[in-house]
Amino acid sequence: LLAASDSGGVATYHPVLDQQSLRRLQLGTEIEQAMADGQISVVFQPIIDAQSSDIVSVETLVRWAHPRYGSISPDDFIPLAEQIGRIGAVTDHVLDLALARCRRWLDQDIALSVAVNLSVHCLTEPDLVTRVRGALQRHGVPGELLTLELTEGSVVDDSVRDSTVLADLHDLGLRLSMDDFGTGYSSLSQLRQLPIDEVKIDKSFVLGMSTSQGESFIARSIIELAHNLGLRVVAEGVEDEMTRNLLTEMGCDKLQGFLVSRPLPDDRLENWLLARTGVRSAAPGAAHRRL
Ligand code: C2E
Ligand code: MG
Ligand code: MG
Ligand code: MG
């Protein structure tokens, strides 16, 4: 917390922690308790089939409702959790909530798959595969109903590439999705050597599609190349009809974004599903074919 500097043989110390860093450090120590207290929860954002508009999956997104600071964005506290070595615990918590939700759907005959985001740090934890397998077994959810979203950093990370972690995860029957595609350094040809099933076009490209031909061109190129490699393509950040139509024409497989639905807490997702499909997932016997 103090930085030493050598000034003529006498070490002097300067405080290097500003207010913001102090608050971050404080927050870090609160993560574990916040999970136990239910402050850290999840919302679910629907993903639909581009052609049929059927809901095919929901992405689980973590939320922290802090009693003093209000809602803290995952873009702020996930990097913090990574830095202080708590990302594994946060991931387990999110996975648990996602699979519990999936299990409740299964109990009502609804086979709706859930996606969970995985930080690159998690892929280097030696027990990750065991923990994911354990979570699936504990909830009685088949691997096919789980998608893990990885960021591009994961596949350019040497220790991940040199390990069998992606293949081992894939062997659990789950799907691997490359999140935020196009923002990192990986190329589609690199993906070909990995057990990746789908790519998600980063929302920075999708958001610009209705106004910029350049962004549309990038989206079209990603879709074509990905399809040639046998990968499915999801577009995130679909906010308007024009973008939706463009992506559908381009053959994009799945759509996600505010146009379809914002991320929703559990009870509101329930209402959204009901309004959209006429299926109340709370009612036993709802036919999963209709979702
Ligand atoms: P992501 O996985 O790429 O998730 C997409 C983000 O875009 C989400 O932000 C979502 O709310 C937002 N989004 C969805 N549709 C639209 C749209 O139409 N327009 C715009 N402008 N934004 C849209 P969120 O929930 O704040 O999450 C931010 C990032 O935090 C995620 O990006 C993901 O990288 C990370 N994250 C979230 N939950 C988790 C988690 O449980 N574990 C890990 N490791 N990371 C997480
Ligand atoms: Mg994601
Ligand atoms: Mg993304
Ligand atoms: Mg993102």
Side-chain angles (χ1 to χ4, degrees):
L1 307 185
L2 295 170
S5 70
D6 199 302
S7 52
V10 182
T12 54
Y13 293 89
H14 309 288
V16 291
L17 268 185
D18 52 25
Q19 269 315 108
Q20 208 189 343
S21 315
L22 267 173
R23 182 177 130 172
R24 284 164 52 78
L25 213 79
Q26 169 69 27
L27 268 184
T29 65
E30 293 178 15
I31 286 181
E32 215 85 41
Q33 191 59 43
M35 286 192 286
D37 292 349
Q39 289 170 30
I40 296 183
S41 64
V42 296
V43 288
F44 300 101
Q45 188 176 30
I47 299 174
I48 61 167
D49 181 287
Q51 302 299 329
S52 68
S53 295
D54 289 343
I55 177 169
V56 285
S57 181
V58 295
E59 179 176 3
T60 314
L61 295 159
V62 72
R63 294 290 179 264
W64 186 352
H66 194 281
R68 289 193 310 284
Y69 303 134
S71 81
I72 306 172
S73 161
D75 283 326
D76 290 327
F77 75 87
I78 291 294
L80 180 63
E82 288 169 350
Q83 281 163 25
I84 63 167
R86 285 292 172 278
I87 188 63
V90 174
T91 304
D92 289 348
H93 183 66
V94 171
L95 193 60
D96 199 51
L97 293 171
L99 292 177
R101 190 65 193 91
C102 189
R103 179 68 246 172
R104 273 165 44 223
W105 278 317
L106 277 177
D107 290 341
Q108 294 142 16
D109 289 330
I110 297 168
L112 188 54
S113 81
V114 290
V116 169
N117 291 282
L118 213 59
S119 145
V120 59
H121 289 242
C122 293
L123 290 167
T124 54
E125 293 164 348
D127 59 347
L128 175 73
V129 178
T130 312
R131 279 155 48 215
V132 174
R133 186 191 294 113
L136 287 166
Q137 282 170 354
R138 211 164 48 247
H139 291 282
V141 170
E144 303 87 76
L145 290 182
L146 177 64
T147 298
L148 294 177
E149 297 192 3
L150 320 168
T151 50
E152 278 188 84
S154 319
V155 297
V156 290
D157 186 292
D158 285 338
S159 57
V160 172
R161 300 197 75 131
D162 294 345
S163 78
T164 58
V165 62
L166 294 181
D168 293 345
L169 286 171
H170 210 235
D171 285 346
L172 299 178
L174 50 80
R175 268 177 298 183
L176 295 176
S177 178
M178 181 58 46
D179 207 350
D180 301 348
F181 190 78
T183 56
Y185 304 102
S186 63
S187 63
L188 280 167
S189 63
Q190 276 180 303
L191 293 191
R192 198 161 57 144
Q193 284 130 41
L194 300 165
I196 301 287
D197 305 283
E198 76 178 21
V199 295
K200 293 185 85 168
I201 308 174
D202 189 68
K203 62 176 181 290
S204 61
F205 304 114
V206 179
L207 288 171
M209 281 181 67
S210 58
T211 49
S212 155
Q213 293 218 317
E215 315 297 58
S216 288
F217 179 77
I218 292 170
R220 188 185 296 278
S221 306
I222 293 176
I223 293 166
E224 276 175 18
L225 273 165
H227 280 170
N228 286 338
L229 294 171
L231 302 165
R232 304 288 90 199
V233 185
V234 187
E236 62 172 26
V238 181
E239 292 191 352
D240 57 76
E241 285 292 347
M242 183 179 173
T243 302
R244 178 193 181 139
N245 294 338
L246 281 169
L247 286 161
T248 306
E249 274 166 32
M250 292 173 187
C252 186
D253 302 284
K254 301 176 207 172
L255 308 174
Q256 178 182 16
F258 295 168
L259 178 72
V260 178
S261 170
R262 292 195 172 252
L264 301 171
D266 195 37
D267 53 335
R268 291 189 49 207
L269 176 67
E270 201 64 39
N271 291 335
W272 186 90
L273 285 172
L274 179 63
R276 192 165 177 109
T277 62
V279 173
R280 183 187 292 282
S281 74
H288 78 256
R289 274 174 288 114
R290 294 170 66 188
L291 285 184

Short mmCIF file of all heavy atoms in Angstrom, two decimals, residues 33 57 65 80 99 115 117 121 133 153 196 205 208 224 226 228 248 260 263 269 274 283 286 290:
data_model
loop_
_atom_site.label_atom_id
_atom_site.label_comp_id
_atom_site.label_asym_id
_atom_site.label_seq_id
_atom_site.Cartn_x
_atom_site.Cartn_y
_atom_site.Cartn_z
N GLN A 33 -18.95 -11.94 1.47
CA GLN A 33 -20.11 -11.71 2.32
C GLN A 33 -21.33 -11.29 1.48
O GLN A 33 -22.46 -11.69 1.74
CB GLN A 33 -19.79 -10.64 3.38
CG GLN A 33 -20.83 -10.51 4.48
CD GLN A 33 -21.02 -11.83 5.25
OE1 GLN A 33 -20.04 -12.51 5.58
NE2 GLN A 33 -22.27 -12.23 5.48
N SER A 57 -32.19 -19.58 -25.68
CA SER A 57 -31.26 -19.59 -24.57
C SER A 57 -31.42 -18.32 -23.75
O SER A 57 -32.08 -17.37 -24.20
CB SER A 57 -29.83 -19.67 -25.14
OG SER A 57 -28.87 -19.72 -24.12
N ALA A 65 -26.02 -5.51 -6.06
CA ALA A 65 -26.77 -4.40 -5.44
C ALA A 65 -26.13 -4.11 -4.09
O ALA A 65 -26.38 -4.79 -3.10
CB ALA A 65 -28.23 -4.80 -5.27
N LEU A 80 -12.08 -6.66 -10.54
CA LEU A 80 -11.64 -6.61 -9.15
C LEU A 80 -11.57 -8.02 -8.55
O LEU A 80 -10.58 -8.39 -7.92
CB LEU A 80 -12.62 -5.73 -8.36
CG LEU A 80 -12.37 -5.53 -6.88
CD1 LEU A 80 -11.04 -4.82 -6.68
CD2 LEU A 80 -13.50 -4.72 -6.27
N LEU A 99 -27.78 -22.71 -13.10
CA LEU A 99 -28.19 -24.11 -13.22
C LEU A 99 -29.43 -24.41 -12.37
O LEU A 99 -30.27 -25.24 -12.75
CB LEU A 99 -27.03 -25.05 -12.86
CG LEU A 99 -25.85 -25.02 -13.85
CD1 LEU A 99 -24.72 -25.92 -13.38
CD2 LEU A 99 -26.30 -25.41 -15.26
N ALA A 115 -26.55 -19.66 -20.56
CA ALA A 115 -25.16 -19.32 -20.84
C ALA A 115 -24.57 -18.60 -19.63
O ALA A 115 -25.25 -17.81 -18.99
CB ALA A 115 -25.08 -18.43 -22.08
N ASN A 117 -20.92 -16.57 -18.31
CA ASN A 117 -19.64 -15.98 -18.73
C ASN A 117 -18.49 -16.52 -17.88
O ASN A 117 -18.61 -16.63 -16.67
CB ASN A 117 -19.70 -14.46 -18.59
CG ASN A 117 -20.64 -13.84 -19.59
OD1 ASN A 117 -20.31 -13.69 -20.77
ND2 ASN A 117 -21.85 -13.52 -19.14
N HIS A 121 -9.29 -15.96 -16.27
CA HIS A 121 -8.62 -16.44 -15.05
C HIS A 121 -9.13 -17.82 -14.64
O HIS A 121 -8.38 -18.64 -14.14
CB HIS A 121 -8.87 -15.47 -13.88
CG HIS A 121 -8.14 -14.18 -14.04
ND1 HIS A 121 -7.17 -13.76 -13.15
CD2 HIS A 121 -8.23 -13.22 -14.97
CE1 HIS A 121 -6.69 -12.59 -13.55
NE2 HIS A 121 -7.33 -12.24 -14.65
N ARG A 133 -18.38 -29.84 -13.69
CA ARG A 133 -19.02 -31.16 -13.71
C ARG A 133 -19.86 -31.36 -12.46
O ARG A 133 -21.02 -31.80 -12.51
CB ARG A 133 -17.97 -32.27 -13.83
CG ARG A 133 -18.60 -33.66 -14.00
CD ARG A 133 -17.59 -34.80 -13.85
NE ARG A 133 -16.59 -34.81 -14.90
CZ ARG A 133 -15.30 -34.58 -14.72
NH1 ARG A 133 -14.83 -34.32 -13.50
NH2 ARG A 133 -14.46 -34.60 -15.72
N GLY A 153 -9.46 -13.25 -25.15
CA GLY A 153 -8.20 -13.35 -24.42
C GLY A 153 -7.90 -14.79 -24.02
O GLY A 153 -6.74 -15.20 -23.98
N ILE A 196 -14.48 -24.75 -30.15
CA ILE A 196 -15.46 -23.67 -29.99
C ILE A 196 -16.65 -23.98 -30.90
O ILE A 196 -16.48 -24.42 -32.03
CB ILE A 196 -14.82 -22.33 -30.42
CG1 ILE A 196 -13.59 -22.01 -29.57
CG2 ILE A 196 -15.83 -21.19 -30.38
CD1 ILE A 196 -13.88 -21.58 -28.17
N PHE A 205 -19.73 -3.68 -32.94
CA PHE A 205 -20.00 -3.73 -34.39
C PHE A 205 -21.50 -3.68 -34.66
O PHE A 205 -21.96 -2.99 -35.56
CB PHE A 205 -19.41 -5.00 -35.01
CG PHE A 205 -17.95 -5.15 -34.77
CD1 PHE A 205 -17.46 -6.19 -33.99
CD2 PHE A 205 -17.04 -4.24 -35.31
CE1 PHE A 205 -16.11 -6.32 -33.75
CE2 PHE A 205 -15.68 -4.37 -35.07
CZ PHE A 205 -15.22 -5.42 -34.28
N GLY A 208 -23.33 -0.35 -34.47
CA GLY A 208 -23.08 0.59 -35.54
C GLY A 208 -23.69 0.21 -36.87
O GLY A 208 -23.62 0.98 -37.84
N GLU A 224 -20.03 -15.04 -42.49
CA GLU A 224 -19.64 -15.94 -43.58
C GLU A 224 -18.48 -16.84 -43.21
O GLU A 224 -18.52 -18.06 -43.41
CB GLU A 224 -19.29 -15.14 -44.84
CG GLU A 224 -20.52 -14.78 -45.64
CD GLU A 224 -20.21 -13.88 -46.83
OE1 GLU A 224 -19.04 -13.79 -47.25
OE2 GLU A 224 -21.17 -13.26 -47.34
N ALA A 226 -17.38 -17.60 -40.20
CA ALA A 226 -17.75 -18.52 -39.10
C ALA A 226 -18.54 -19.70 -39.65
O ALA A 226 -18.28 -20.85 -39.29
CB ALA A 226 -18.54 -17.77 -38.04
N ASN A 228 -18.45 -20.91 -42.64
CA ASN A 228 -17.55 -21.78 -43.40
C ASN A 228 -16.74 -22.69 -42.50
O ASN A 228 -16.30 -23.76 -42.91
CB ASN A 228 -16.60 -20.95 -44.28
CG ASN A 228 -17.33 -20.36 -45.48
OD1 ASN A 228 -18.38 -20.88 -45.87
ND2 ASN A 228 -16.80 -19.28 -46.03
N THR A 248 -30.51 -10.88 -40.00
CA THR A 248 -31.29 -12.05 -40.42
C THR A 248 -31.02 -12.35 -41.89
O THR A 248 -30.80 -13.51 -42.27
CB THR A 248 -32.79 -11.81 -40.17
OG1 THR A 248 -32.95 -11.46 -38.79
CG2 THR A 248 -33.61 -13.05 -40.44
N VAL A 260 -34.88 -7.26 -28.42
CA VAL A 260 -35.55 -8.51 -28.02
C VAL A 260 -35.97 -8.39 -26.56
O VAL A 260 -37.15 -8.53 -26.23
CB VAL A 260 -34.61 -9.72 -28.22
CG1 VAL A 260 -35.30 -11.00 -27.75
CG2 VAL A 260 -34.18 -9.83 -29.67
N PRO A 263 -31.76 -7.47 -20.10
CA PRO A 263 -31.57 -8.52 -19.09
C PRO A 263 -32.65 -8.36 -18.01
O PRO A 263 -32.94 -7.25 -17.60
CB PRO A 263 -30.18 -8.22 -18.52
CG PRO A 263 -29.50 -7.38 -19.55
CD PRO A 263 -30.58 -6.59 -20.22
N LEU A 269 -38.50 -12.29 -16.18
CA LEU A 269 -38.26 -13.21 -17.30
C LEU A 269 -39.45 -14.16 -17.45
O LEU A 269 -39.91 -14.47 -18.55
CB LEU A 269 -36.98 -14.01 -17.06
CG LEU A 269 -36.68 -15.09 -18.12
CD1 LEU A 269 -36.35 -14.46 -19.46
CD2 LEU A 269 -35.55 -16.00 -17.67
N LEU A 274 -44.01 -15.86 -20.64
CA LEU A 274 -45.45 -16.11 -20.69
C LEU A 274 -46.09 -15.27 -21.79
O LEU A 274 -46.87 -15.76 -22.60
CB LEU A 274 -46.07 -15.78 -19.33
CG LEU A 274 -47.58 -15.98 -19.21
CD1 LEU A 274 -47.93 -17.45 -19.41
CD2 LEU A 274 -48.07 -15.50 -17.85
N ALA A 283 -46.10 -23.47 -14.51
CA ALA A 283 -47.11 -24.52 -14.59
C ALA A 283 -46.48 -25.81 -15.09
O ALA A 283 -45.82 -25.82 -16.13
CB ALA A 283 -48.23 -24.10 -15.54
N ALA A 286 -45.75 -27.75 -19.17
CA ALA A 286 -45.60 -26.85 -20.33
C ALA A 286 -44.68 -27.52 -21.35
O ALA A 286 -43.65 -28.07 -21.01
CB ALA A 286 -45.02 -25.53 -19.88
N ARG A 290 -42.56 -25.60 -27.53
CA ARG A 290 -43.12 -24.29 -27.87
C ARG A 290 -42.19 -23.15 -27.55
O ARG A 290 -42.43 -22.02 -27.91
CB ARG A 290 -44.45 -24.11 -27.14
CG ARG A 290 -45.50 -25.09 -27.65
CD ARG A 290 -46.71 -25.09 -26.78
NE ARG A 290 -47.40 -23.80 -26.86
CZ ARG A 290 -48.42 -23.50 -26.05
NH1 ARG A 290 -48.79 -24.34 -25.11
NH2 ARG A 290 -49.01 -22.35 -26.17
#
